[in-house]
Amino acid sequence: MVSQELYLCYHGLLLPNIAHNEESLNFFETFKFRDDDILAVTYPKSGTTWMQEMIPLLLNGGDLTPVESVPNWDRVPWLEETRIAHVVDKLSSPRAMVTHMPLNLMPPAFFSSKAKVIYIARNPKDVLVSSYYFHQMASFLDDPGTFEEFTDKFLAGQVLFGKWTEHVKSWKNADLGDRILYITYEELIQDLRGVLQRMLGFLGRELSDDVLNQVTEHCLFKNMKQNKMSNYSLVPSDIMDSNKSPFLRKGIAGDWKNHFSPELEAKFNAVIREEIEGTGIRFPWDEE
Ligand code: PPS
């Protein structure tokens, strides 16, 4: 059972009350997209905060001022959260925003716009681990229980924004042509500079080698972890307690190996495989 005090249910998806309400969801549904808008789309814990750091730097020629002076949630706001109504008019063009919504819940105006999308996927086993610790540190989320119990909830989609497989299937099957760029968290870990370069090409921007090197350095986990505008240290500890687990926790690929028993891994893989089967969707981690 999940507490109604903590969550609201939106088209079957659980969203935390702390950041969503009827008004914010109405704002989302009637959002007026512009053709030059840029959206980073993620299932939770897949690299959202990383995108909120990278995209402004790629768009503004590597100027660190916004990422060092504006909190990530106001700098690149969530389309569906309450904050956006307060900051949307202050966003400079092209506007960069994030969303955790699956494609089927995107508002009609999104489909008739030319807004660009960067979709970031992450190994669902690492998503689960990251989310498990997030539930321990965030007082606005329910107690995750044991790791095994939380795994069952994750596989059943009784977690924020529903099933990982539904999210991935919706966006990977999106008929958006060259409006969408697909990247993975694991590619960012392996070759951050290379992916930043791909993102630049997609956004139609250029940076000198030196500036790209500086942006890459700034976006490394160890450096972003120190940025109080991005590490959630501005949030009071009774809401997010970094002593229990920091928001920027480990920042690696493969931490799931420290958490899954062979039995749990087999069960997890079987469920995910069955739900992805027949879609043609393949990820690098499928081979692990
Ligand atoms: S949320 O709550 O949905 O906005 O979370 P999200 O930002 O999508 O995901 C949080 C995880 O992303 C990791 N992260 C990074 N990893 C590597 N390098 C950088 N720069 C970086 N920035 C954020 C963050 O540490 C969380 O993953 P875990 O595995 O918990 O460390």
Side-chain angles (χ1 to χ4, degrees), residues 42-50 52 78 100 122 126 129-130 134 185 189 219-221 224 232 247-252:
T42 55
Y43 183 82
K45 314 320 283 185
S46 302
T48 327
T49 320
W50 213 350
Q52 291 169 322
W78 274 265
H100 288 318
R122 184 181 188 186
D126 281 333
V129 171
S130 180
F134 187 45
Y185 178 94
I189 292 283
C219 292
L220 290 176
F221 180 77
M224 252 184 78
Y232 283 86
F247 184 93
L248 286 147
R249 190 184 58 89
K250 276 202 181 172
I252 59 168

mmCIF file of all heavy atoms in Angstrom, residues 42-50 52 78 100 122 126 129-130 134 185 189 219-221 224 232 247-252, ligand 1:
data_model
loop_
_atom_site.group_PDB
_atom_site.id
_atom_site.type_symbol
_atom_site.label_atom_id
_atom_site.label_comp_id
_atom_site.label_asym_id
_atom_site.label_seq_id
_atom_site.Cartn_x
_atom_site.Cartn_y
_atom_site.Cartn_z
ATOM 1 N N THR A 42 13.420 11.611 -18.993
ATOM 2 C CA THR A 42 14.028 10.510 -18.237
ATOM 3 C C THR A 42 12.972 9.792 -17.415
ATOM 4 O O THR A 42 12.040 10.425 -16.910
ATOM 5 C CB THR A 42 15.050 11.043 -17.202
ATOM 6 O OG1 THR A 42 14.377 12.014 -16.379
ATOM 7 C CG2 THR A 42 16.255 11.674 -17.841
ATOM 8 N N TYR A 43 13.135 8.505 -17.252
ATOM 9 C CA TYR A 43 12.483 7.810 -16.137
ATOM 10 C C TYR A 43 13.289 8.238 -14.905
ATOM 11 O O TYR A 43 14.517 8.409 -14.997
ATOM 12 C CB TYR A 43 12.567 6.290 -16.372
ATOM 13 C CG TYR A 43 11.858 5.476 -15.323
ATOM 14 C CD1 TYR A 43 10.478 5.274 -15.397
ATOM 15 C CD2 TYR A 43 12.564 4.928 -14.254
ATOM 16 C CE1 TYR A 43 9.825 4.534 -14.428
ATOM 17 C CE2 TYR A 43 11.903 4.188 -13.276
ATOM 18 C CZ TYR A 43 10.534 4.001 -13.366
ATOM 19 O OH TYR A 43 9.887 3.275 -12.404
ATOM 20 N N PRO A 44 12.651 8.442 -13.730
ATOM 21 C CA PRO A 44 13.406 8.933 -12.569
ATOM 22 C C PRO A 44 14.684 8.119 -12.286
ATOM 23 O O PRO A 44 14.714 6.904 -12.496
ATOM 24 C CB PRO A 44 12.401 8.772 -11.406
ATOM 25 C CG PRO A 44 11.059 8.894 -12.069
ATOM 26 C CD PRO A 44 11.216 8.270 -13.431
ATOM 27 N N LYS A 45 15.697 8.817 -11.847
ATOM 28 C CA LYS A 45 17.011 8.280 -11.453
ATOM 29 C C LYS A 45 17.860 7.807 -12.652
ATOM 30 O O LYS A 45 18.696 6.911 -12.522
ATOM 31 C CB LYS A 45 16.901 7.130 -10.428
ATOM 32 C CG LYS A 45 15.975 7.349 -9.271
ATOM 33 C CD LYS A 45 16.007 8.732 -8.680
ATOM 34 C CE LYS A 45 17.176 9.043 -7.793
ATOM 35 N NZ LYS A 45 17.001 10.416 -7.197
ATOM 36 N N SER A 46 17.608 8.412 -13.814
ATOM 37 C CA SER A 46 18.336 7.993 -15.014
ATOM 38 C C SER A 46 19.309 9.040 -15.539
ATOM 39 O O SER A 46 19.936 8.821 -16.578
ATOM 40 C CB SER A 46 17.333 7.654 -16.123
ATOM 41 O OG SER A 46 16.456 6.642 -15.708
ATOM 42 N N GLY A 47 19.409 10.197 -14.851
ATOM 43 C CA GLY A 47 20.358 11.212 -15.314
ATOM 44 C C GLY A 47 19.741 12.593 -15.506
ATOM 45 O O GLY A 47 20.326 13.447 -16.188
ATOM 46 N N THR A 48 18.594 12.842 -14.869
ATOM 47 C CA THR A 48 17.900 14.129 -15.002
ATOM 48 C C THR A 48 18.778 15.302 -14.555
ATOM 49 O O THR A 48 18.948 16.291 -15.284
ATOM 50 C CB THR A 48 16.621 14.114 -14.122
ATOM 51 O OG1 THR A 48 16.086 12.804 -14.086
ATOM 52 C CG2 THR A 48 15.599 15.105 -14.617
ATOM 53 N N THR A 49 19.325 15.185 -13.356
ATOM 54 C CA THR A 49 20.110 16.283 -12.779
ATOM 55 C C THR A 49 21.355 16.555 -13.633
ATOM 56 O O THR A 49 21.787 17.702 -13.779
ATOM 57 C CB THR A 49 20.525 15.925 -11.335
ATOM 58 O OG1 THR A 49 19.428 15.274 -10.684
ATOM 59 C CG2 THR A 49 20.941 17.151 -10.558
ATOM 60 N N TRP A 50 21.885 15.489 -14.178
ATOM 61 C CA TRP A 50 23.057 15.614 -15.069
ATOM 62 C C TRP A 50 22.684 16.464 -16.285
ATOM 63 O O TRP A 50 23.404 17.362 -16.706
ATOM 64 C CB TRP A 50 23.508 14.218 -15.495
ATOM 65 C CG TRP A 50 24.979 14.056 -15.691
ATOM 66 C CD1 TRP A 50 25.921 15.043 -15.719
ATOM 67 C CD2 TRP A 50 25.670 12.816 -15.877
ATOM 68 N NE1 TRP A 50 27.157 14.487 -15.916
ATOM 69 C CE2 TRP A 50 27.026 13.133 -16.013
ATOM 70 C CE3 TRP A 50 25.279 11.473 -15.946
ATOM 71 C CZ2 TRP A 50 28.009 12.138 -16.222
ATOM 72 C CZ3 TRP A 50 26.245 10.495 -16.144
ATOM 73 C CH2 TRP A 50 27.590 10.826 -16.278
ATOM 74 N N GLN A 52 20.283 18.639 -16.437
ATOM 75 C CA GLN A 52 20.029 20.022 -15.994
ATOM 76 C C GLN A 52 21.339 20.812 -15.874
ATOM 77 O O GLN A 52 21.329 22.036 -15.849
ATOM 78 C CB GLN A 52 19.274 20.012 -14.652
ATOM 79 C CG GLN A 52 17.846 19.506 -14.768
ATOM 80 C CD GLN A 52 17.205 19.244 -13.429
ATOM 81 O OE1 GLN A 52 17.851 18.760 -12.503
ATOM 82 N NE2 GLN A 52 15.915 19.535 -13.304
ATOM 83 N N TRP A 78 11.045 20.984 -14.289
ATOM 84 C CA TRP A 78 10.198 19.874 -14.723
ATOM 85 C C TRP A 78 8.889 20.439 -15.265
ATOM 86 O O TRP A 78 8.248 21.264 -14.597
ATOM 87 C CB TRP A 78 9.866 18.957 -13.546
ATOM 88 C CG TRP A 78 10.844 17.896 -13.249
ATOM 89 C CD1 TRP A 78 10.813 16.610 -13.683
ATOM 90 C CD2 TRP A 78 12.009 18.000 -12.405
ATOM 91 N NE1 TRP A 78 11.889 15.904 -13.171
ATOM 92 C CE2 TRP A 78 12.627 16.736 -12.382
ATOM 93 C CE3 TRP A 78 12.591 19.035 -11.673
ATOM 94 C CZ2 TRP A 78 13.791 16.474 -11.659
ATOM 95 C CZ3 TRP A 78 13.745 18.785 -10.959
ATOM 96 C CH2 TRP A 78 14.334 17.525 -10.957
ATOM 97 N N HIS A 100 9.522 13.629 -16.621
ATOM 98 C CA HIS A 100 9.561 12.178 -16.381
ATOM 99 C C HIS A 100 8.363 11.488 -17.044
ATOM 100 O O HIS A 100 8.175 10.287 -16.865
ATOM 101 C CB HIS A 100 9.463 11.883 -14.881
ATOM 102 C CG HIS A 100 10.683 12.224 -14.073
ATOM 103 N ND1 HIS A 100 11.966 11.968 -14.491
ATOM 104 C CD2 HIS A 100 10.803 12.762 -12.833
ATOM 105 C CE1 HIS A 100 12.816 12.350 -13.545
ATOM 106 N NE2 HIS A 100 12.146 12.841 -12.532
ATOM 107 N N ARG A 122 18.750 4.430 -18.590
ATOM 108 C CA ARG A 122 19.793 3.870 -17.717
ATOM 109 C C ARG A 122 19.426 2.432 -17.393
ATOM 110 O O ARG A 122 18.218 2.096 -17.312
ATOM 111 C CB ARG A 122 19.856 4.703 -16.420
ATOM 112 C CG ARG A 122 20.960 4.299 -15.473
ATOM 113 C CD ARG A 122 20.953 5.156 -14.201
ATOM 114 N NE ARG A 122 22.140 4.886 -13.399
ATOM 115 C CZ ARG A 122 22.368 5.390 -12.186
ATOM 116 N NH1 ARG A 122 21.486 6.214 -11.631
ATOM 117 N NH2 ARG A 122 23.471 5.092 -11.522
ATOM 118 N N ASP A 126 20.323 -0.401 -12.099
ATOM 119 C CA ASP A 126 20.941 0.746 -11.419
ATOM 120 C C ASP A 126 19.906 1.819 -11.073
ATOM 121 O O ASP A 126 20.033 2.502 -10.047
ATOM 122 C CB ASP A 126 22.062 1.345 -12.275
ATOM 123 C CG ASP A 126 23.344 0.532 -12.194
ATOM 124 O OD1 ASP A 126 23.552 -0.146 -11.160
ATOM 125 O OD2 ASP A 126 24.147 0.550 -13.146
ATOM 126 N N VAL A 129 18.409 0.642 -7.832
ATOM 127 C CA VAL A 129 19.313 0.851 -6.681
ATOM 128 C C VAL A 129 19.301 2.333 -6.292
ATOM 129 O O VAL A 129 19.154 2.694 -5.116
ATOM 130 C CB VAL A 129 20.753 0.379 -7.009
ATOM 131 C CG1 VAL A 129 21.723 0.806 -5.912
ATOM 132 C CG2 VAL A 129 20.785 -1.129 -7.200
ATOM 133 N N SER A 130 19.441 3.203 -7.285
ATOM 134 C CA SER A 130 19.468 4.638 -7.017
ATOM 135 C C SER A 130 18.159 5.075 -6.343
ATOM 136 O O SER A 130 18.157 5.828 -5.357
ATOM 137 C CB SER A 130 19.683 5.384 -8.337
ATOM 138 O OG SER A 130 19.724 6.764 -8.131
ATOM 139 N N PHE A 134 17.228 6.745 -2.689
ATOM 140 C CA PHE A 134 16.489 8.009 -2.720
ATOM 141 C C PHE A 134 15.283 7.928 -1.772
ATOM 142 O O PHE A 134 14.977 8.867 -1.040
ATOM 143 C CB PHE A 134 16.056 8.298 -4.164
ATOM 144 C CG PHE A 134 15.433 9.650 -4.385
ATOM 145 C CD1 PHE A 134 15.988 10.795 -3.835
ATOM 146 C CD2 PHE A 134 14.291 9.782 -5.165
ATOM 147 C CE1 PHE A 134 15.410 12.052 -4.056
ATOM 148 C CE2 PHE A 134 13.712 11.027 -5.389
ATOM 149 C CZ PHE A 134 14.275 12.166 -4.829
ATOM 150 N N TYR A 185 22.805 6.653 -19.865
ATOM 151 C CA TYR A 185 23.611 7.069 -18.707
ATOM 152 C C TYR A 185 24.995 6.417 -18.804
ATOM 153 O O TYR A 185 26.021 7.047 -18.522
ATOM 154 C CB TYR A 185 22.877 6.622 -17.437
ATOM 155 C CG TYR A 185 23.587 6.914 -16.145
ATOM 156 C CD1 TYR A 185 23.320 8.081 -15.435
ATOM 157 C CD2 TYR A 185 24.495 6.009 -15.606
ATOM 158 C CE1 TYR A 185 23.952 8.345 -14.229
ATOM 159 C CE2 TYR A 185 25.132 6.261 -14.401
ATOM 160 C CZ TYR A 185 24.865 7.435 -13.718
ATOM 161 O OH TYR A 185 25.496 7.682 -12.522
ATOM 162 N N ILE A 189 28.818 7.941 -18.748
ATOM 163 C CA ILE A 189 29.881 7.515 -17.820
ATOM 164 C C ILE A 189 31.150 7.163 -18.604
ATOM 165 O O ILE A 189 32.254 7.532 -18.225
ATOM 166 C CB ILE A 189 29.416 6.280 -16.992
ATOM 167 C CG1 ILE A 189 28.292 6.669 -16.032
ATOM 168 C CG2 ILE A 189 30.572 5.600 -16.271
ATOM 169 C CD1 ILE A 189 28.713 7.422 -14.791
ATOM 170 N N CYS A 219 31.075 18.835 -15.503
ATOM 171 C CA CYS A 219 29.960 17.886 -15.384
ATOM 172 C C CYS A 219 30.373 16.516 -14.836
ATOM 173 O O CYS A 219 29.537 15.611 -14.735
ATOM 174 C CB CYS A 219 29.258 17.717 -16.736
ATOM 175 S SG CYS A 219 28.395 19.220 -17.247
ATOM 176 N N LEU A 220 31.643 16.365 -14.487
ATOM 177 C CA LEU A 220 32.058 15.105 -13.855
ATOM 178 C C LEU A 220 31.382 14.984 -12.491
ATOM 179 O O LEU A 220 31.169 15.997 -11.801
ATOM 180 C CB LEU A 220 33.578 15.073 -13.657
ATOM 181 C CG LEU A 220 34.418 14.945 -14.929
ATOM 182 C CD1 LEU A 220 35.906 15.030 -14.582
ATOM 183 C CD2 LEU A 220 34.111 13.646 -15.675
ATOM 184 N N PHE A 221 31.083 13.764 -12.108
ATOM 185 C CA PHE A 221 30.372 13.509 -10.851
ATOM 186 C C PHE A 221 31.047 14.213 -9.671
ATOM 187 O O PHE A 221 30.391 14.903 -8.889
ATOM 188 C CB PHE A 221 30.308 11.997 -10.612
ATOM 189 C CG PHE A 221 29.592 11.607 -9.351
ATOM 190 C CD1 PHE A 221 28.210 11.638 -9.290
ATOM 191 C CD2 PHE A 221 30.300 11.220 -8.225
ATOM 192 C CE1 PHE A 221 27.535 11.279 -8.118
ATOM 193 C CE2 PHE A 221 29.635 10.868 -7.061
ATOM 194 C CZ PHE A 221 28.249 10.897 -7.006
ATOM 195 N N MET A 224 30.321 17.970 -9.950
ATOM 196 C CA MET A 224 28.898 18.312 -9.768
ATOM 197 C C MET A 224 28.458 18.103 -8.328
ATOM 198 O O MET A 224 27.617 18.821 -7.814
ATOM 199 C CB MET A 224 28.048 17.444 -10.691
ATOM 200 C CG MET A 224 27.469 18.215 -11.857
ATOM 201 S SD MET A 224 26.394 17.167 -12.834
ATOM 202 C CE MET A 224 24.907 17.131 -11.824
ATOM 203 N N TYR A 232 21.382 19.320 -4.292
ATOM 204 C CA TYR A 232 20.205 19.313 -3.412
ATOM 205 C C TYR A 232 20.532 19.646 -1.954
ATOM 206 O O TYR A 232 19.701 19.438 -1.071
ATOM 207 C CB TYR A 232 19.439 17.967 -3.501
ATOM 208 C CG TYR A 232 18.603 17.861 -4.775
ATOM 209 C CD1 TYR A 232 19.170 17.384 -5.963
ATOM 210 C CD2 TYR A 232 17.278 18.256 -4.799
ATOM 211 C CE1 TYR A 232 18.420 17.310 -7.133
ATOM 212 C CE2 TYR A 232 16.514 18.176 -5.967
ATOM 213 C CZ TYR A 232 17.092 17.706 -7.128
ATOM 214 O OH TYR A 232 16.336 17.627 -8.276
ATOM 215 N N PHE A 247 22.097 12.837 -2.461
ATOM 216 C CA PHE A 247 21.362 12.765 -3.737
ATOM 217 C C PHE A 247 22.315 12.328 -4.848
ATOM 218 O O PHE A 247 22.015 11.430 -5.628
ATOM 219 C CB PHE A 247 20.729 14.121 -4.076
ATOM 220 C CG PHE A 247 19.884 14.066 -5.311
ATOM 221 C CD1 PHE A 247 18.522 13.822 -5.219
ATOM 222 C CD2 PHE A 247 20.446 14.208 -6.576
ATOM 223 C CE1 PHE A 247 17.731 13.730 -6.365
ATOM 224 C CE2 PHE A 247 19.665 14.115 -7.725
ATOM 225 C CZ PHE A 247 18.314 13.881 -7.616
ATOM 226 N N LEU A 248 23.460 13.001 -4.937
ATOM 227 C CA LEU A 248 24.499 12.549 -5.875
ATOM 228 C C LEU A 248 25.286 11.480 -5.117
ATOM 229 O O LEU A 248 26.232 11.771 -4.404
ATOM 230 C CB LEU A 248 25.364 13.727 -6.321
ATOM 231 C CG LEU A 248 24.648 14.646 -7.319
ATOM 232 C CD1 LEU A 248 25.053 16.077 -7.166
ATOM 233 C CD2 LEU A 248 24.921 14.203 -8.740
ATOM 234 N N ARG A 249 24.841 10.264 -5.241
ATOM 235 C CA ARG A 249 25.218 9.180 -4.333
ATOM 236 C C ARG A 249 26.528 8.519 -4.752
ATOM 237 O O ARG A 249 27.548 8.672 -4.101
ATOM 238 C CB ARG A 249 24.050 8.163 -4.312
ATOM 239 C CG ARG A 249 24.110 7.095 -3.272
ATOM 240 C CD ARG A 249 22.932 6.142 -3.463
ATOM 241 N NE ARG A 249 22.951 5.549 -4.793
ATOM 242 C CZ ARG A 249 23.576 4.419 -5.114
ATOM 243 N NH1 ARG A 249 24.207 3.714 -4.193
ATOM 244 N NH2 ARG A 249 23.564 3.961 -6.362
ATOM 245 N N LYS A 250 26.520 7.751 -5.843
ATOM 246 C CA LYS A 250 27.743 7.074 -6.305
ATOM 247 C C LYS A 250 28.131 7.498 -7.702
ATOM 248 O O LYS A 250 29.303 7.562 -8.038
ATOM 249 C CB LYS A 250 27.554 5.554 -6.286
ATOM 250 C CG LYS A 250 27.814 4.909 -4.956
ATOM 251 C CD LYS A 250 28.124 3.433 -5.146
ATOM 252 C CE LYS A 250 28.362 2.756 -3.806
ATOM 253 N NZ LYS A 250 28.472 1.298 -3.963
ATOM 254 N N GLY A 251 27.128 7.688 -8.561
ATOM 255 C CA GLY A 251 27.410 8.158 -9.910
ATOM 256 C C GLY A 251 28.208 7.177 -10.747
ATOM 257 O O GLY A 251 29.090 7.576 -11.506
ATOM 258 N N ILE A 252 27.878 5.906 -10.631
ATOM 259 C CA ILE A 252 28.593 4.890 -11.424
ATOM 260 C C ILE A 252 27.591 3.988 -12.146
ATOM 261 O O ILE A 252 26.411 3.968 -11.812
ATOM 262 C CB ILE A 252 29.526 3.999 -10.547
ATOM 263 C CG1 ILE A 252 28.722 3.277 -9.459
ATOM 264 C CG2 ILE A 252 30.648 4.829 -9.949
ATOM 265 C CD1 ILE A 252 29.497 2.171 -8.746
HETATM 266 S S1 PPS B 1 15.809 12.356 -10.267
HETATM 267 O O1 PPS B 1 15.376 12.243 -8.832
HETATM 268 O O2 PPS B 1 14.945 11.557 -11.141
HETATM 269 O O3 PPS B 1 15.922 13.752 -10.695
HETATM 270 O O4 PPS B 1 17.260 11.685 -10.278
HETATM 271 P P1 PPS B 1 18.286 11.726 -11.507
HETATM 272 O O5 PPS B 1 19.024 13.004 -11.495
HETATM 273 O O6 PPS B 1 17.594 11.322 -12.749
HETATM 274 O O7 PPS B 1 19.258 10.542 -11.144
HETATM 275 C C1 PPS B 1 20.106 10.586 -10.025
HETATM 276 C C2 PPS B 1 21.265 9.659 -10.338
HETATM 277 O O8 PPS B 1 22.121 10.294 -11.319
HETATM 278 C C3 PPS B 1 23.436 10.360 -10.782
HETATM 279 N N1 PPS B 1 24.177 11.512 -11.311
HETATM 280 C C4 PPS B 1 25.375 11.390 -11.894
HETATM 281 N N2 PPS B 1 26.117 10.305 -12.183
HETATM 282 C C5 PPS B 1 27.332 10.518 -12.758
HETATM 283 N N3 PPS B 1 27.842 11.737 -13.037
HETATM 284 C C6 PPS B 1 27.126 12.857 -12.768
HETATM 285 N N4 PPS B 1 27.654 14.045 -13.044
HETATM 286 C C7 PPS B 1 25.833 12.707 -12.181
HETATM 287 N N5 PPS B 1 24.867 13.572 -11.770
HETATM 288 C C8 PPS B 1 23.864 12.818 -11.246
HETATM 289 C C9 PPS B 1 23.197 10.461 -9.271
HETATM 290 O O9 PPS B 1 24.367 10.233 -8.544
HETATM 291 C C10 PPS B 1 22.129 9.390 -9.097
HETATM 292 O O10 PPS B 1 22.628 8.068 -9.291
HETATM 293 P P2 PPS B 1 23.191 7.151 -8.090
HETATM 294 O O11 PPS B 1 23.379 5.801 -8.725
HETATM 295 O O12 PPS B 1 22.148 7.134 -7.023
HETATM 296 O O13 PPS B 1 24.479 7.773 -7.660
#
